[in-house]
Amino acid sequence: MPTIVPFTREKREDKAIYYTSLIKDMKILVATEKPFAKKAVDGIREIVEGAGYTLSLLEKYTDKAQLLEAVADVDALIIRSDKVTAEVIDAAHNLKIVVRAGAGYDNVDLAAASARGIVVMNTPGQNSNAVAELALGMMVYMARNQFTSGTGSELSGKTLAIHAYGNVGKLVGRKGAACGMNVVAYDPFIKDDSVFAADGVKKVDSVEELYACADYLSLHIPATEQTKGSIGYDLLMSMPKGATLINTARKEVIDEEGVAKALTEREDLKYITDIAPAMHDLYCEKFGKRYFGTPKKMGAETAEANINAGLAAARQIVDYFVNGNVKFQVNK
Ligand code: 3PG
Protein backbone atom coordinates (compact mmCIF):
# COMPACT_ATOMS: atom_id res chain seq x y z
CA MET A 1 0.00 0.00 0.00
CA PRO A 2 1.52 3.37 -0.93
CA THR A 3 2.24 6.06 1.61
CA ILE A 4 -0.71 8.44 1.71
CA VAL A 5 0.32 12.04 1.30
CA PRO A 6 -2.38 14.57 2.28
CA PHE A 7 -4.26 16.05 -0.64
CA THR A 8 -4.06 19.79 -0.23
CA ARG A 9 -5.58 21.25 -3.37
CA GLU A 10 -9.20 22.00 -2.68
CA LYS A 11 -10.20 23.04 -6.15
CA ARG A 12 -8.65 20.34 -8.26
CA GLU A 13 -11.07 19.55 -11.06
CA ASP A 14 -10.24 15.90 -11.58
CA LYS A 15 -9.41 13.95 -8.48
CA ALA A 16 -9.55 10.60 -10.25
CA ILE A 17 -5.78 10.23 -10.61
CA TYR A 18 -5.23 11.17 -6.99
CA TYR A 19 -7.73 8.65 -5.70
CA THR A 20 -6.28 5.97 -8.00
CA SER A 21 -2.83 6.70 -6.59
CA LEU A 22 -4.13 6.06 -3.08
CA ILE A 23 -5.69 2.69 -3.76
CA LYS A 24 -3.20 1.37 -6.25
CA ASP A 25 0.53 0.69 -6.07
CA MET A 26 1.57 2.85 -9.04
CA LYS A 27 4.13 1.28 -11.32
CA ILE A 28 6.76 3.59 -12.77
CA LEU A 29 9.01 2.40 -15.58
CA VAL A 30 12.31 4.02 -16.55
CA ALA A 31 12.80 3.02 -20.20
CA THR A 32 16.14 4.27 -21.45
CA GLU A 33 17.84 2.85 -24.49
CA LYS A 34 20.72 5.17 -23.45
CA PRO A 35 20.76 4.63 -19.65
CA PHE A 36 21.05 7.27 -16.95
CA ALA A 37 24.12 7.32 -14.69
CA LYS A 38 23.70 4.94 -11.72
CA LYS A 39 23.46 7.84 -9.27
CA ALA A 40 20.49 9.19 -11.21
CA VAL A 41 18.73 5.80 -11.17
CA ASP A 42 19.37 5.50 -7.41
CA GLY A 43 17.85 8.96 -6.90
CA ILE A 44 14.82 8.14 -9.03
CA ARG A 45 14.29 4.93 -7.04
CA GLU A 46 14.45 6.82 -3.76
CA ILE A 47 11.78 9.30 -4.88
CA VAL A 48 9.49 6.67 -6.42
CA GLU A 49 9.75 4.15 -3.57
CA GLY A 50 9.59 6.98 -1.02
CA ALA A 51 6.16 7.81 -2.42
CA GLY A 52 5.15 4.18 -2.01
CA TYR A 53 5.26 3.29 -5.69
CA THR A 54 7.16 0.58 -7.56
CA LEU A 55 10.05 1.22 -9.95
CA SER A 56 11.10 -0.98 -12.83
CA LEU A 57 13.92 -0.47 -15.29
CA LEU A 58 14.33 -1.24 -18.96
CA GLU A 59 17.82 -0.08 -19.91
CA LYS A 60 19.88 -0.51 -23.07
CA TYR A 61 17.04 -2.27 -24.83
CA THR A 62 17.74 -3.13 -28.42
CA ASP A 63 14.32 -4.03 -29.74
CA LYS A 64 10.99 -2.18 -29.77
CA ALA A 65 9.31 -5.43 -28.69
CA GLN A 66 11.08 -5.18 -25.31
CA LEU A 67 9.61 -1.72 -24.77
CA LEU A 68 6.13 -2.84 -25.85
CA GLU A 69 6.26 -5.66 -23.31
CA ALA A 70 7.68 -3.53 -20.50
CA VAL A 71 5.03 -0.80 -20.75
CA ALA A 72 2.07 -3.21 -20.64
CA ASP A 73 1.08 -2.61 -17.00
CA VAL A 74 2.84 0.63 -16.03
CA ASP A 75 1.12 3.79 -14.82
CA ALA A 76 3.99 6.16 -15.54
CA LEU A 77 6.93 6.22 -17.87
CA ILE A 78 10.25 8.07 -17.67
CA ILE A 79 12.17 8.26 -20.95
CA ARG A 80 15.02 10.10 -22.67
CA SER A 81 15.09 10.14 -26.49
CA ASP A 82 13.20 6.84 -26.48
CA LYS A 83 10.40 6.76 -29.02
CA VAL A 84 6.93 6.69 -27.51
CA THR A 85 4.87 6.04 -30.62
CA ALA A 86 1.14 5.36 -30.97
CA GLU A 87 2.04 1.64 -30.88
CA VAL A 88 3.81 2.04 -27.53
CA ILE A 89 0.87 4.02 -26.15
CA ASP A 90 -1.56 1.34 -27.37
CA ALA A 91 0.50 -1.32 -25.59
CA ALA A 92 0.54 0.64 -22.30
CA HIS A 93 -2.96 -0.11 -21.03
CA ASN A 94 -2.64 1.69 -17.67
CA LEU A 95 -0.42 4.58 -18.73
CA LYS A 96 -1.34 7.94 -17.22
CA ILE A 97 1.80 10.04 -17.58
CA VAL A 98 4.99 10.10 -19.67
CA VAL A 99 7.87 12.31 -18.59
CA ARG A 100 10.62 12.98 -21.07
CA ALA A 101 13.66 13.58 -18.84
CA GLY A 102 15.05 16.36 -21.00
CA ALA A 103 13.95 19.22 -23.19
CA GLY A 104 12.85 18.00 -26.62
CA TYR A 105 9.69 15.88 -26.78
CA ASP A 106 9.63 15.27 -30.54
CA ASN A 107 10.06 11.56 -29.71
CA VAL A 108 6.60 11.31 -28.14
CA ASP A 109 3.42 11.01 -30.20
CA LEU A 110 1.50 13.76 -28.43
CA ALA A 111 -1.70 13.26 -30.41
CA ALA A 112 -1.84 9.55 -29.49
CA ALA A 113 -1.14 10.38 -25.83
CA SER A 114 -3.77 13.14 -25.72
CA ALA A 115 -6.35 10.85 -27.34
CA ARG A 116 -5.93 8.50 -24.37
CA GLY A 117 -5.88 11.36 -21.82
CA ILE A 118 -2.23 10.64 -21.02
CA VAL A 119 -0.27 13.60 -19.67
CA VAL A 120 3.12 14.24 -21.33
CA MET A 121 5.73 16.41 -19.61
CA ASN A 122 9.34 17.40 -20.17
CA THR A 123 11.88 18.67 -17.63
CA PRO A 124 12.96 21.98 -19.18
CA GLY A 125 16.33 23.41 -18.19
CA GLN A 126 17.52 20.35 -16.29
CA ASN A 127 20.17 19.25 -18.78
CA SER A 128 20.81 22.62 -20.45
CA ASN A 129 24.21 23.27 -18.95
CA ALA A 130 25.58 19.94 -20.18
CA VAL A 131 24.41 20.69 -23.73
CA ALA A 132 25.74 24.26 -23.60
CA GLU A 133 29.16 23.08 -22.43
CA LEU A 134 29.28 20.58 -25.28
CA ALA A 135 28.42 23.33 -27.79
CA LEU A 136 31.28 25.43 -26.52
CA GLY A 137 33.66 22.45 -26.57
CA MET A 138 32.62 21.74 -30.15
CA MET A 139 33.53 25.29 -31.16
CA VAL A 140 37.01 24.96 -29.68
CA TYR A 141 37.41 21.50 -31.25
CA MET A 142 36.69 22.86 -34.72
CA ALA A 143 38.70 26.07 -34.18
CA ARG A 144 41.72 23.86 -33.31
CA ASN A 145 41.48 21.53 -36.32
CA GLN A 146 39.97 18.68 -34.30
CA PHE A 147 43.08 18.68 -32.09
CA THR A 148 45.38 17.75 -34.95
CA SER A 149 48.30 19.66 -36.44
CA GLY A 150 47.94 22.99 -38.18
CA THR A 151 47.33 26.53 -37.01
CA GLY A 152 44.01 27.01 -35.30
CA SER A 153 42.10 30.11 -34.28
CA GLU A 154 40.56 31.55 -31.12
CA LEU A 155 36.96 32.15 -30.17
CA SER A 156 37.70 35.53 -28.64
CA GLY A 157 36.60 38.42 -30.83
CA LYS A 158 34.45 36.22 -33.10
CA THR A 159 30.69 36.52 -33.50
CA LEU A 160 28.65 33.79 -31.87
CA ALA A 161 25.12 33.64 -33.27
CA ILE A 162 22.49 31.77 -31.28
CA HIS A 163 19.51 30.38 -33.19
CA ALA A 164 16.73 30.14 -30.57
CA TYR A 165 17.34 31.79 -27.23
CA GLY A 166 15.86 29.26 -24.81
CA ASN A 167 17.45 27.52 -21.83
CA VAL A 168 20.41 26.11 -23.78
CA GLY A 169 20.82 29.07 -26.14
CA LYS A 170 21.11 31.48 -23.21
CA LEU A 171 23.79 29.40 -21.51
CA VAL A 172 25.79 29.03 -24.74
CA GLY A 173 25.59 32.81 -25.19
CA ARG A 174 26.82 33.49 -21.66
CA LYS A 175 29.70 31.01 -21.99
CA GLY A 176 30.64 32.47 -25.37
CA ALA A 177 30.59 35.99 -23.94
CA ALA A 178 32.90 34.80 -21.14
CA CYS A 179 35.34 33.70 -23.88
CA GLY A 180 35.27 37.19 -25.38
CA MET A 181 32.81 36.44 -28.20
CA ASN A 182 30.28 38.96 -29.50
CA VAL A 183 26.92 37.32 -28.97
CA VAL A 184 23.95 37.81 -31.30
CA ALA A 185 20.64 35.94 -31.09
CA TYR A 186 17.42 35.35 -32.98
CA ASP A 187 14.26 33.96 -31.43
CA PRO A 188 10.88 34.86 -32.95
CA PHE A 189 9.07 33.50 -29.90
CA ILE A 190 10.66 35.98 -27.48
CA LYS A 191 8.80 39.27 -27.83
CA ASP A 192 10.38 40.95 -24.83
CA ASP A 193 13.68 42.56 -25.92
CA SER A 194 14.84 42.88 -22.32
CA VAL A 195 15.47 39.10 -22.29
CA PHE A 196 18.36 39.67 -24.73
CA ALA A 197 19.41 43.00 -23.26
CA ALA A 198 19.73 41.48 -19.78
CA ASP A 199 22.53 39.24 -21.10
CA GLY A 200 24.13 42.00 -23.19
CA VAL A 201 23.13 40.07 -26.31
CA LYS A 202 22.34 41.79 -29.60
CA LYS A 203 18.96 40.68 -30.93
CA VAL A 204 18.44 40.39 -34.68
CA ASP A 205 15.07 40.25 -36.42
CA SER A 206 15.51 37.58 -39.03
CA VAL A 207 17.16 34.25 -39.47
CA GLU A 208 18.94 35.60 -42.59
CA GLU A 209 20.48 38.43 -40.58
CA LEU A 210 21.64 35.94 -37.95
CA TYR A 211 23.46 33.58 -40.32
CA ALA A 212 24.99 36.45 -42.31
CA CYS A 213 26.94 37.64 -39.25
CA ALA A 214 27.80 34.26 -37.67
CA ASP A 215 31.42 33.13 -37.33
CA TYR A 216 29.90 30.43 -35.11
CA LEU A 217 26.24 29.53 -35.39
CA SER A 218 24.89 27.49 -32.48
CA LEU A 219 21.57 25.81 -33.24
CA HIS A 220 18.95 25.37 -30.51
CA ILE A 221 15.68 25.02 -32.38
CA PRO A 222 13.38 22.04 -31.66
CA ALA A 223 12.44 19.53 -34.36
CA THR A 224 8.92 20.44 -35.45
CA GLU A 225 7.02 20.25 -38.73
CA GLN A 226 8.12 23.87 -39.37
CA THR A 227 11.81 23.45 -38.54
CA LYS A 228 12.59 20.01 -40.01
CA GLY A 229 15.02 20.39 -42.93
CA SER A 230 15.00 24.18 -42.52
CA ILE A 231 18.77 24.72 -42.16
CA GLY A 232 20.44 24.19 -45.50
CA TYR A 233 22.23 25.59 -48.52
CA ASP A 234 21.06 29.20 -48.58
CA LEU A 235 21.67 29.90 -44.91
CA LEU A 236 25.10 28.26 -44.93
CA MET A 237 26.15 30.06 -48.08
CA SER A 238 25.27 33.38 -46.45
CA MET A 239 27.69 32.80 -43.55
CA PRO A 240 31.00 34.71 -43.32
CA LYS A 241 34.30 33.21 -44.48
CA GLY A 242 35.53 30.40 -42.21
CA ALA A 243 32.20 30.04 -40.39
CA THR A 244 31.22 26.98 -38.34
CA LEU A 245 27.73 25.55 -37.80
CA ILE A 246 27.29 23.77 -34.46
CA ASN A 247 24.27 21.53 -34.04
CA THR A 248 23.46 20.31 -30.55
CA ALA A 249 19.72 20.51 -31.29
CA ARG A 250 18.33 17.81 -33.60
CA LYS A 251 19.70 16.21 -36.75
CA GLU A 252 16.23 16.46 -38.33
CA VAL A 253 16.39 20.26 -38.58
CA ILE A 254 19.22 19.99 -41.12
CA ASP A 255 18.72 19.70 -44.86
CA GLU A 256 21.63 17.28 -45.27
CA GLU A 257 21.86 17.57 -49.07
CA GLY A 258 21.83 21.37 -48.82
CA VAL A 259 24.58 21.41 -46.19
CA ALA A 260 26.66 18.99 -48.30
CA LYS A 261 26.27 21.26 -51.33
CA ALA A 262 27.31 24.35 -49.35
CA LEU A 263 30.35 22.59 -47.84
CA THR A 264 31.35 21.40 -51.31
CA GLU A 265 31.10 24.86 -52.86
CA ARG A 266 32.66 26.67 -49.90
CA GLU A 267 35.85 24.99 -48.66
CA ASP A 268 36.06 27.42 -45.74
CA LEU A 269 32.82 26.28 -44.05
CA LYS A 270 32.71 23.76 -41.19
CA TYR A 271 29.95 21.69 -39.62
CA ILE A 272 29.93 19.84 -36.28
CA THR A 273 26.90 17.97 -35.02
CA ASP A 274 25.87 16.07 -31.89
CA ILE A 275 24.40 12.99 -33.55
CA ALA A 276 25.61 11.82 -36.88
CA PRO A 277 23.47 12.65 -39.90
CA ALA A 278 22.23 9.99 -42.31
CA MET A 279 24.96 11.22 -44.71
CA HIS A 280 27.70 10.88 -42.05
CA ASP A 281 29.98 8.59 -44.09
CA LEU A 282 29.81 10.80 -47.14
CA TYR A 283 30.41 13.92 -45.03
CA CYS A 284 33.51 12.29 -43.46
CA GLU A 285 34.84 11.23 -46.82
CA LYS A 286 34.23 14.56 -48.58
CA PHE A 287 34.87 17.14 -45.88
CA GLY A 288 37.56 15.60 -43.64
CA LYS A 289 38.40 17.86 -40.71
CA ARG A 290 35.74 20.40 -41.70
CA TYR A 291 33.11 17.98 -40.42
CA PHE A 292 32.55 16.00 -37.21
CA GLY A 293 29.52 14.05 -35.97
CA THR A 294 29.24 12.30 -32.59
CA PRO A 295 28.23 8.64 -33.01
CA LYS A 296 25.54 8.99 -30.32
CA LYS A 297 23.84 12.11 -28.99
CA MET A 298 26.00 13.11 -26.04
CA GLY A 299 24.89 16.65 -25.15
CA ALA A 300 23.09 15.49 -22.01
CA GLU A 301 25.54 12.68 -21.25
CA THR A 302 26.84 13.96 -17.92
CA ALA A 303 26.15 12.59 -14.45
CA GLU A 304 24.91 16.03 -13.42
CA ALA A 305 22.41 16.32 -16.27
CA ASN A 306 21.19 12.74 -15.71
CA ILE A 307 20.66 13.45 -12.03
CA ASN A 308 18.95 16.81 -12.62
CA ALA A 309 16.62 15.58 -15.37
CA GLY A 310 15.99 12.07 -13.99
CA LEU A 311 15.15 13.23 -10.47
CA ALA A 312 12.99 16.07 -11.80
CA ALA A 313 11.06 13.51 -13.88
CA ALA A 314 10.46 11.29 -10.84
CA ARG A 315 9.38 14.25 -8.70
CA GLN A 316 7.01 15.50 -11.41
CA ILE A 317 5.33 12.08 -11.58
CA VAL A 318 4.82 11.89 -7.83
CA ASP A 319 3.60 15.50 -7.76
CA TYR A 320 1.13 14.69 -10.52
CA PHE A 321 -0.23 11.60 -8.79
CA VAL A 322 -0.39 13.27 -5.39
CA ASN A 323 -1.30 16.88 -6.20
CA GLY A 324 -2.42 16.84 -9.82
CA ASN A 325 0.39 19.27 -10.70
CA VAL A 326 0.59 19.66 -14.50
CA LYS A 327 2.97 22.63 -14.65
CA PHE A 328 5.30 20.97 -17.15
CA GLN A 329 2.64 19.32 -19.29
CA VAL A 330 3.35 19.80 -23.01
CA ASN A 331 0.14 18.33 -24.45
CA LYS A 332 -2.37 20.67 -22.77
C1 3PG B 1 17.08 16.84 -24.81
O1 3PG B 1 16.21 17.06 -25.67
O2 3PG B 1 16.89 17.03 -23.60
C2 3PG B 1 18.46 16.42 -25.26
O3 3PG B 1 18.50 16.23 -26.63
C3 3PG B 1 18.99 15.20 -24.51
O4 3PG B 1 18.53 13.99 -25.01
P1 3PG B 1 18.96 12.58 -24.32
O5 3PG B 1 18.37 12.54 -22.97
O6 3PG B 1 18.45 11.54 -25.23
O7 3PG B 1 20.47 12.57 -24.26
Side-chain angles (χ1 to χ4, degrees):
M1 189 62 189
T3 311
I4 297 179
V5 182
F7 183 59
T8 49
R9 282 191 176 194
E10 283 176 18
K11 289 201 172 154
R12 194 176 147 216
E13 281 162 23
D14 176 13
K15 294 192 174 121
I17 293 290
Y18 167 69
Y19 289 128
T20 308
S21 77
L22 292 184
I23 54 171
K24 192 171 174 291
D25 177 11
M26 294 294 199
K27 290 187 178 151
I28 286 104
L29 172 70
V30 174
T32 45
E33 179 268 323
K34 193 172 62 178
F36 287 124
K38 184 179 177 306
K39 257 191 164 178
V41 176
D42 291 347
I44 292 170
R45 184 178 298 285
E46 214 176 299
I47 292 166
V48 167
E49 293 180 354
Y53 307 145
T54 303
L55 184 79
S56 53
L57 292 178
L58 175 69
E59 294 180 318
K60 293 188 187 172
Y61 58 93
T62 48
D63 197 315
K64 186 177 66 180
Q66 293 169 277
L67 180 61
L68 294 176
E69 194 187 329
V71 297
D73 65 344
V74 304
D75 300 279
L77 186 54
I78 296 176
I79 50 159
R80 294 184 64 178
S81 289
D82 307 81
K83 290 201 173 14
V84 178
T85 59
E87 191 184 6
V88 173
I89 286 167
D90 269 357
H93 311 292
N94 297 334
L95 192 61
K96 298 161 186 67
I97 176 169
V98 177
V99 182
R100 194 284 189 236
Y105 45 87
D106 46 302
N107 50 323
V108 181
D109 187 329
L110 295 189
S114 300
R116 276 266 313 277
I118 295 166
V119 168
V120 181
M121 296 185 188
N122 64 351
T123 63
Q126 299 290 349
N127 59 18
S128 305
N129 189 63
V131 181
E133 285 189 12
L134 183 74
L136 204 80
M138 285 180 148
M139 288 181 223
V140 175
Y141 188 58
M142 294 308 266
R144 298 302 181 97
N145 304 315
Q146 300 194 14
F147 301 156
T148 59
S149 61
T151 308
S153 61
E154 299 178 18
L155 301 185
S156 181
K158 307 295 187 307
T159 296
L160 167 59
I162 312 279
H163 192 167
Y165 204 60
N167 289 317
V168 183
K170 283 187 186 120
L171 287 169
V172 172
R174 287 173 199 158
K175 291 175 198 304
C179 291
M181 302 182 89
N182 308 311
V183 185
V184 177
Y186 171 70
D187 192 322
F189 297 101
I190 301 179
K191 306 287 177 214
D192 178 1
D193 287 0
S194 70
V195 172
F196 303 96
D199 288 335
V201 167
K202 183 179 168 214
K203 177 207 134 180
V204 293
D205 294 320
S206 71
V207 81
E208 288 76 18
E209 215 183 321
L210 187 78
Y211 282 68
C213 72
D215 293 317
Y216 290 87
L217 190 299
S218 197
L219 259 180
H220 302 292
I221 53 177
T224 65
E225 285 320 307
Q226 290 73 40
T227 64
K228 281 182 190 166
S230 65
I231 310 300
Y233 181 77
D234 290 341
L235 288 175
L236 260 85
M237 290 301 281
S238 75
M239 293 173 84
K241 191 166 175 0
T244 303
L245 175 67
I246 303 106
N247 181 9
T248 53
R250 287 289 182 274
K251 72 171 185 171
E252 291 82 359
V253 302
I254 300 293
D255 163 10
E256 294 186 14
E257 295 280 358
V259 167
K261 189 164 180 269
L263 264 70
T264 305
E265 288 179 23
R266 292 257 317 260
E267 291 194 358
D268 58 301
L269 292 177
K270 297 176 185 174
Y271 177 43
I272 182 160
T273 176
D274 184 20
I275 187 160
M279 293 169 74
H280 174 73
D281 290 345
L282 184 131
Y283 277 25
C284 288
E285 190 188 309
K286 277 189 85 171
F287 308 124
K289 279 198 232 119
R290 291 194 292 131
Y291 164 76
F292 183 83
T294 56
K296 222 172 182 113
K297 188 149 60 98
M298 57 177 297
E301 284 299 86
T302 66
E304 293 90 337
N306 283 185
I307 291 167
N308 291 344
L311 269 57
R315 285 194 194 102
Q316 285 173 213
I317 287 171
V318 173
D319 199 18
Y320 175 62
F321 284 151
V322 174
N323 300 311
N325 189 343
V326 289
K327 181 174 172 197
F328 297 107
Q329 185 173 357
V330 294
N331 64 335
K332 277 181 187 163

